[in-house]
Amino acid sequence: MSSLRLYHIALLVCLLSGGSCQLTIGESSLPGNNLAKWLDDIHEERPFDTLLVAHPIAGVDSRLESVLRFPKPKVLLQTSQAFAYKEKFNSDILVIITMNSVLDGDLMEVTARTLHFLRHVRILLWAWEVEDQKDFMNTTLGLLQRYKMTNVLLTFVYELQELPNVYQQLKPYPSYHWLSNTRQPKSQEYFPLHWLNMQNITIRTHSDQAIPKSFLYLDAAGNLKVNGYVARLILLFAQHFNASLQWYKPVKLGEVSHFMAVNYLVDDNLIDIPMTTIMSKTHQEWQHRSYHFQYEYGTLFVPCAQQLTLKEVFSVLLDVRFFGLIIFCTVLFSLLHSLVDYLLEGIMATSDVLLSHRVLPAVLGQSFVARNSPWKVLKLIYIILSFLGINITCQFSATMNSLFTSHPYHRQIETLMDIRNSPLKLNILKSDLDLMGGTLLEIFRSLITTNNATQYDEMRFNFNTSTGYFAFSSFWRLLELKQQNFNQKLFCTYENMTVFLLIPASIHLQPNSQYKEPMDYLVQQVNAMGLVHAWYASTFNDMVKQKKISLFNENAEEKVQAMTASDLYWIWIILIIGLGISVAVFLAEFWHYNATRFLD
């Protein structure tokens, strides 16, 4: 029975008794005056900048006079006035929700919508003239859990009575329940950080098993072990805040998932905290996520330029320029030699006009038979041919020795334009390509997309150089560590091949997640202490122990080997072409001889 009814009954009894009665209530005993003192205690415990007052009655109620006199800015909220508070005002607030006799579901919904992404703030719930307190508490508990409000005090207030010393404190862990407390100013916390001890609550998680963020393996005893700089963050979260982790589904070792596939499980409320990160591009996305855990950049990497093989060295030596020089010099000096023979000695050998048997050996630096002639011009031609042959022979010999001693390298791919103009293909996950939008539109003809994240990860990690790939900086750093003992790197990347530059990575959470505040706190502490670098090194160490990474040179130089027939590919080609031309000339001369013999 309410205090107001008790007051009316007492007044009626007094009047019926025939006496003169005067019932007075001192101002100090009115609850409104004591509410202001309670606000002082809460502000002294942890200051707030603004009061957000949710009240079901339009206008100013006399019961809120003490609140309105409190020396802080106030925002009055009614049932039809929901708005995004976080986008307009300071987030360090105290929320006061007043109820009249029954729970106002509409007012709670409006308050929850207004406190979108601010459900962790301190909330003081004043329930006036409630008859069935137990039912009110149970109903309120369900709404608070639904709206993910974790920092709530509930007190029942009655007219003509002092503010009660007993209040209900919401305990969100391990499950939502009320804890009855007695008000003792300056000797207790009204709004403690409940997440400091989550009372062994179960947190569902799932790993993408993308090295080095998560590395799952079995130890010698067959027990599942978890490492990785993101996995260690989640493990530390559970350990530090007294929670237990539960896998979303049985773990299959080596089954790699794209990080967005795991984060979609969070959006579908299937897991609470993912064991992976997510990249944030816009400000709106940050509201669902923790403070940034690290900065990533995305880059394309391609096979490093390799040395030419012996077959390719011969193709460089015996290229078009070399044969062009030989043919040009042979034809030129053959014409000169034939011209001198014809003009000075009257000799005309048609077979030597373009290909003289005296000129070709000289051009190749070989010995040749000179015509015994008194003409100085012919001797001058022979001298020039000798110097020309020596020059060509020396240059060819020097180039050959240089190429065989230290093989040259193929041209390195360093830009997107180089990729577009080369036969190399880029293998990329379709999910990664979707994140890039039209960034790689310039080289779309060079792209090969796949949806198999496990196979894709194996190809990159095992240095399959048949294609190029895309990776974020954390994975590329691992490849760099793996290549540090190689005599020659297998994969390279360059500044002009960067796709994303400094994208913040964070932990994706459900909207208004109760784990955001502790995760923000932990991420800042981890970054301040530099634990990410230690976890990265620990992951690399475990991978070495599990023989996922070898500290020995896997790209050792091959010992000197004897040349094989395949190495002389171009020599055989030249030989076959030469023999073919010889046979063709022989047949032509044989036919011409037979034809002219019968005519004679």
Side-chain angles (χ1 to χ4, degrees):
M1 186 176 294
S2 69
S3 300
L4 184 60
R5 291 181 181 178
L6 290 174
Y7 173 78
H8 289 162
I9 292 174
L11 181 59
L12 180 61
V13 171
C14 183
L15 292 175
L16 292 176
S17 63
S20 61
C21 302
Q22 182 177 6
L23 298 179
T24 61
I25 303 175
E27 289 187 4
S28 61
S29 64
L30 292 176
N33 296 320
N34 290 328
L35 289 177
K37 298 179 181 179
W38 202 355
L39 293 179
D40 289 332
D41 295 339
I42 295 174
H43 185 270
E44 184 177 353
E45 175 185 300
R46 181 151 47 102
F48 51 86
D49 296 326
T50 308
L51 280 171
L52 176 63
V53 183
H55 191 57
I57 302 175
V60 178
D61 195 323
S62 59
R63 293 176 295 185
L64 296 178
E65 290 182 3
S66 59
V67 176
L68 298 179
R69 288 195 300 267
F70 194 80
K72 288 292 179 182
K74 294 94 183 171
V75 178
L76 298 181
L77 180 68
Q78 294 180 350
T79 306
S80 60
Q81 297 176 336
F83 64 98
Y85 184 92
K86 189 173 183 179
E87 297 179 1
K88 301 179 181 296
F89 301 103
N90 194 322
S91 298
D92 196 0
I93 61 175
L94 175 67
V95 181
I96 298 177
I97 306 176
T98 63
M99 299 285 180
N100 291 326
S101 68
V102 294
L103 181 65
D104 191 338
D106 294 337
L107 185 62
M108 287 292 294
E109 181 183 0
V110 167
T111 305
R113 287 163 52 194
T114 302
L115 296 178
H116 200 39
F117 301 113
L118 281 175
R119 306 285 173 81
H120 62 280
V121 298
R122 291 169 289 177
I123 300 176
L124 190 57
L125 181 57
W126 288 340
W128 295 78
E129 310 300 336
V130 174
E131 296 183 358
D132 192 341
Q133 295 184 5
K134 185 175 181 180
D135 180 69
F136 186 91
M137 291 168 59
N138 292 335
T139 308
T140 305
L141 200 64
L143 282 180
L144 294 177
Q145 185 170 5
R146 173 184 173 185
Y147 296 129
K148 300 180 181 180
M149 298 176 177
T150 57
N151 230 0
V152 182
L153 294 185
L154 169 63
T155 183
F156 295 101
V157 186
Y158 297 94
E159 293 282 359
L160 309 180
Q161 285 189 3
E162 292 186 5
L163 186 68
N165 288 327
V166 177
Y167 64 92
Q168 306 298 324
Q169 187 180 66
L170 177 65
K171 292 291 184 179
Y173 305 109
S175 59
Y176 274 63
H177 63 281
W178 293 110
L179 179 65
S180 181
N181 280 333
T182 302
R183 180 169 174 262
Q184 298 176 357
K186 301 182 180 181
S187 63
Q188 63 181 357
E189 283 188 293
Y190 291 109
F191 294 99
L193 299 177
H194 301 290
W195 45 263
L196 289 175
N197 184 359
M198 296 186 181
Q199 305 292 333
N200 200 31
I201 190 174
T202 299
I203 298 176
R204 297 165 299 170
T205 187
H206 186 62
S207 170
D208 58 359
Q209 297 195 53
I211 299 172
K213 291 186 292 185
S214 298
F215 177 47
L216 279 61
Y217 63 95
L218 298 177
D219 62 8
N223 299 318
L224 179 65
K225 297 294 182 180
V226 180
N227 209 336
Y229 68 92
V230 177
R232 291 285 291 271
L233 174 69
I234 308 305
L235 292 175
L236 180 62
F237 181 92
Q239 178 184 1
H240 187 69
F241 298 121
N242 189 21
S244 59
L245 296 176
Q246 181 184 57
W247 294 110
Y248 163 64
K249 62 180 181 180
V251 176
K252 293 183 180 179
L253 294 181
E255 185 180 53
V256 181
S257 305
H258 192 267
F259 69 90
M260 287 304 301
V262 177
N263 287 303
Y264 288 148
L265 297 177
V266 179
D267 296 333
D268 295 335
N269 293 329
L270 297 177
I271 61 175
D272 300 308
I273 302 177
M275 203 170 281
T276 186
T277 55
I278 191 170
M279 312 302 161
S280 300
K281 296 182 181 180
T282 63
H283 173 72
Q284 289 77 12
E285 294 175 341
W286 274 103
Q287 300 182 27
H288 295 274
R289 295 159 191 177
S290 69
Y291 287 157
H292 65 268
F293 184 43
Q294 62 175 163
Y295 283 102
E296 294 262 21
Y297 66 86
T299 183
L300 303 175
F301 61 93
V302 295
C304 297
Q306 301 297 313
Q307 286 184 318
L308 273 63
T309 62
L310 281 175
K311 182 190 299 185
E312 292 170 331
V313 168
F314 278 113
S315 68
V316 173
L317 279 172
L318 306 175
D319 60 355
V320 175
R321 291 177 299 175
F322 173 75
F323 283 107
L325 177 63
I326 298 297
I327 294 173
F328 174 77
C329 293
T330 301
V331 172
L332 176 63
F333 283 95
S334 295
L335 286 172
L336 291 175
H337 197 287
S338 299
L339 183 62
V340 170
D341 287 345
Y342 177 73
L343 295 177
L344 299 180
E345 297 188 7
I347 301 173
M348 184 59 185
T350 56
S351 60
D352 291 338
V353 172
L354 298 178
L355 182 61
S356 174
H357 66 282
R358 301 180 191 277
V359 173
L360 181 58
V363 172
L364 295 177
Q366 306 297 317
S367 60
F368 63 96
V369 179
R371 180 188 296 279
N372 188 12
S373 173
W375 304 107
K376 304 298 182 181
V377 64
L378 198 57
K379 293 180 179 180
L380 183 60
I381 289 175
Y382 289 149
I383 293 173
I384 295 175
L385 275 174
S386 299
F387 281 109
L388 178 63
I390 292 173
N391 181 66
I392 292 176
T393 303
C394 290
Q395 287 192 14
F396 181 83
S397 178
T399 304
M400 182 180 67
N401 291 335
S402 177
L403 293 179
F404 275 85
T405 302
S406 178
H407 294 186
Y409 288 83
H410 291 279
R411 185 174 181 272
Q412 180 62 55
I413 296 174
E414 299 182 2
T415 64
L416 295 182
M417 187 67 68
D418 293 339
I419 295 176
R420 188 178 68 176
N421 297 331
S422 73
L424 180 72
K425 297 296 183 180
L426 276 179
N427 197 351
I428 189 169
L429 285 173
K430 191 176 184 304
S431 299
D432 284 336
L433 190 61
D434 293 340
L435 294 175
M436 299 177 193
T439 306
L440 300 182
L441 191 61
E442 181 182 357
I443 58 170
F444 76 98
R445 295 185 183 276
S446 301
L447 300 180
I448 302 174
T449 59
T450 180
N451 289 318
N452 192 332
T454 302
Q455 182 183 14
Y456 184 78
D457 205 56
E458 289 178 357
M459 292 177 66
R460 295 187 304 174
F461 192 73
N462 295 327
F463 294 103
N464 186 329
T465 56
S466 59
T467 64
Y469 305 92
F470 169 81
F472 286 102
S473 53
S474 57
F475 185 83
W476 173 246
R477 180 185 170 194
L478 182 65
L479 290 184
E480 286 279 72
L481 289 174
K482 193 175 179 182
Q483 294 185 107
Q484 64 184 354
N485 292 325
F486 291 7
N487 292 330
Q488 180 182 344
K489 291 184 177 181
L490 296 180
F491 281 127
C492 297
T493 187
Y494 297 90
E495 183 178 352
N496 292 329
M497 300 173 69
T498 301
V499 180
F500 297 125
L501 185 62
L502 293 181
I503 297 182
S506 55
I507 306 299
H508 188 51
L509 301 171
Q510 297 175 7
N512 299 297
S513 173
Q514 58 185 331
Y515 304 114
K516 186 180 187 311
E517 192 175 8
M519 183 62 74
D520 289 344
Y521 168 81
L522 185 62
V523 165
Q524 293 181 76
Q525 296 299 314
V526 165
N527 285 332
M529 297 182 207
L531 291 180
V532 177
H533 302 290
W535 291 340
Y536 202 104
S538 174
T539 304
F540 185 82
N541 184 47
D542 279 357
M543 294 181 69
V544 172
K545 291 179 180 178
Q546 296 299 315
K547 299 181 179 180
K548 294 289 185 180
I549 294 179
S550 175
L551 294 179
F552 300 100
N553 188 359
E554 297 179 359
N555 191 31
E557 290 185 359
E558 296 182 358
K559 296 181 179 180
V560 177
Q561 298 179 352
M563 294 179 64
T564 62
S566 62
D567 294 330
L568 302 176
Y569 173 81
W570 288 106
I571 302 298
W572 302 125
I573 293 296
I574 294 172
L575 180 61
I576 292 172
I577 293 174
L579 291 175
I581 294 175
S582 300
V583 171
V585 172
F586 169 76
L587 293 176
E589 288 183 340
F590 182 75
W591 174 83
H592 182 267
Y593 171 76
N594 290 332
T596 56
R597 185 182 63 175
F598 289 113
L599 291 175
D600 295 339

